Amino acid sequence: MEKVGLIGLGNMGQALATRWLNGGFEVVGFDPYASVTIEHQHFKRVPSLEEVANSVSCIWLMVPAGDAVTQTVQKLAALCAPGTVIIDGGNSFFKDSVKHADFLRTQQISFLDCGVSGGLFGKERGYALMIGGDKKVFEQHEALFKALAARDGYAYVGASGAGHYVKMVHNGIEYALLQAYAQGFHLLKEGRYKDLDLAKISDVWHHGAIIDSFILELLHDIFKHDQAFTTISGKVAQTGMGLWTVREAHECKIPITLVEEAVKIRDASQKTGGDYSTKLVALLRKKFGGHVIESV
């Protein structure tokens, strides 16, 4: 039975672990804080990074992007045997992933960066995975990705950093898509016709319309329960990937005005409290990603 180590047992980490376990893998997990609900004969929670490193030759990181990833990589470099593979499945900045790959290479440890899309629904539906790094290392561990992915939902996309680069742009697109849907429904709610049923409209659009999507399905579910949203704030946080996308586009001298405007709207919502459209964006983010919404 193939074995994988998992650092980070939050909601997403536990969802990944469940798919691996259902796919016939053994999972050794570590997280000093998370409350874990997994009960499976092939899941073992251990008390330290060292025990993970001593138990497996492939370790998946599902920790917050930034310093936490860098610190974990540095600690594992001192603990892991040569030939170990470390995979970062979080939303890390792609340039950080290149640095991590270069550093680990000097320790004779391989590194793959994997963009993961699917949110809370991926546990049942499967994920879309975008993998960067050494192609041979990817091929050696392809079964690991296949077990997580939706049908045809994973691909090797290029050298180190490419997986997180593609996921960064994916999230930039997500910013613009969420805002486009939200502003359209804002107009329907407060425009010329005041009594439109947004649940009915989103449902009919979900059946055959050109703009049908999973986002629209989530909006319909939201509108079935409420269409006023008087008790929630319209403040929308951003994790950084939208802004990273904008900065990369500027560096490459490629116009990306829709994503840039969506980032600006989120920033402004933190000061103004937002409006009906940003409330919808906040509700969508909670729906697919479990992000917190402020009350008013």
Side-chain angles (χ1 to χ4, degrees):
M1 177 178 290
E2 192 166 349
K3 186 184 294 187
V4 59
L6 177 60
I7 310 300
L9 296 170
N11 290 333
M12 280 291 289
Q14 291 188 58
L16 300 185
T18 299
R19 288 193 67 82
W20 280 321
L21 292 166
N22 291 340
F25 286 77
E26 183 176 347
V27 179
V28 178
F30 168 72
D31 191 314
Y33 308 110
S35 175
V36 178
T37 59
I38 298 172
E39 295 183 5
H40 194 286
Q41 62 177 333
H42 296 304
F43 173 76
K44 180 181 181 182
R45 184 176 185 176
V46 296
S48 67
L49 284 175
E50 184 174 11
E51 193 161 342
V52 176
N54 290 337
S55 301
V56 300
S57 60
C58 180
I59 301 173
W60 185 290
L61 308 184
M62 213 66 194
V63 299
D67 291 343
V69 176
T70 299
Q71 291 167 9
T72 305
V73 165
Q74 291 172 345
K75 290 176 182 177
L76 287 173
L79 296 170
C80 292
T84 300
V85 176
I86 296 175
I87 304 169
D88 180 9
N91 282 332
S92 293
F93 185 43
F94 75 96
K95 291 183 180 179
D96 290 341
S97 297
V98 173
K99 292 177 183 177
H100 294 152
D102 290 343
F103 165 66
L104 289 172
R105 194 176 297 114
T106 67
Q107 310 300 306
Q108 297 180 285
I109 296 172
S110 297
F111 180 85
L112 298 175
D113 52 282
C114 180
V116 178
S117 178
L120 300 178
F121 292 87
K123 181 178 179 180
E124 301 297 331
R125 294 161 56 100
Y127 295 92
L129 307 175
M130 302 136 263
I131 303 104
D134 187 322
K135 189 173 184 180
K136 290 183 179 179
V137 176
F138 158 73
E139 291 172 344
Q140 291 165 359
H141 294 82
E142 188 169 352
L144 191 71
F145 300 105
K146 188 173 183 179
L148 293 181
R151 183 177 179 180
D152 299 324
Y154 69 95
Y156 172 80
V157 296
S160 292
H164 282 151
Y165 187 88
V166 173
K167 180 55 162 53
M168 176 188 73
V169 176
H170 162 287
N171 279 35
I173 292 170
E174 176 191 297
Y175 272 53
L177 285 175
L178 295 183
Q179 196 61 46
Y181 277 109
Q183 289 182 333
F185 278 102
H186 188 182
L187 180 59
L188 291 175
K189 176 68 175 177
E190 299 180 3
R192 187 178 299 270
Y193 296 92
K194 304 298 183 183
D195 57 351
L196 296 176
D197 185 338
L198 304 187
K200 184 181 294 185
I201 293 166
S202 57
D203 186 45
V204 74
W205 281 357
H206 187 47
H207 293 84
I210 295 297
I211 62 168
D212 184 22
S213 71
F214 182 50
I215 296 172
L216 188 61
E217 180 182 343
L218 297 179
L219 278 167
H220 173 62
D221 193 52
I222 289 168
F223 289 136
K224 284 190 303 183
H225 297 93
D226 187 15
Q227 296 184 23
F229 316 125
T230 55
T231 62
I232 66 169
S233 167
K235 293 181 180 181
V236 186
Q238 58 166 315
T239 58
M241 296 194 89
L243 182 58
W244 297 344
T245 305
V246 171
R247 288 174 176 171
E248 172 65 9
H250 288 174
E251 287 186 25
C252 296
K253 296 181 172 54
I254 295 173
I256 196 162
T257 52
L258 295 178
V259 180
E260 189 167 10
E261 185 62 22
V263 170
K264 290 178 180 178
I265 289 169
R266 290 196 185 191
D267 285 342
S269 77
Q270 294 296 311
K271 301 174 183 176
T272 66
D275 57 21
Y276 189 83
S277 73
T278 59
K279 288 183 179 184
L280 283 178
V281 173
L283 286 163
L284 283 166
R285 294 179 77 247
K286 180 180 180 182
K287 195 78 172 172
F288 63 68
H291 301 284
V292 176
I293 297 178
E294 291 188 27
S295 300
V296 293

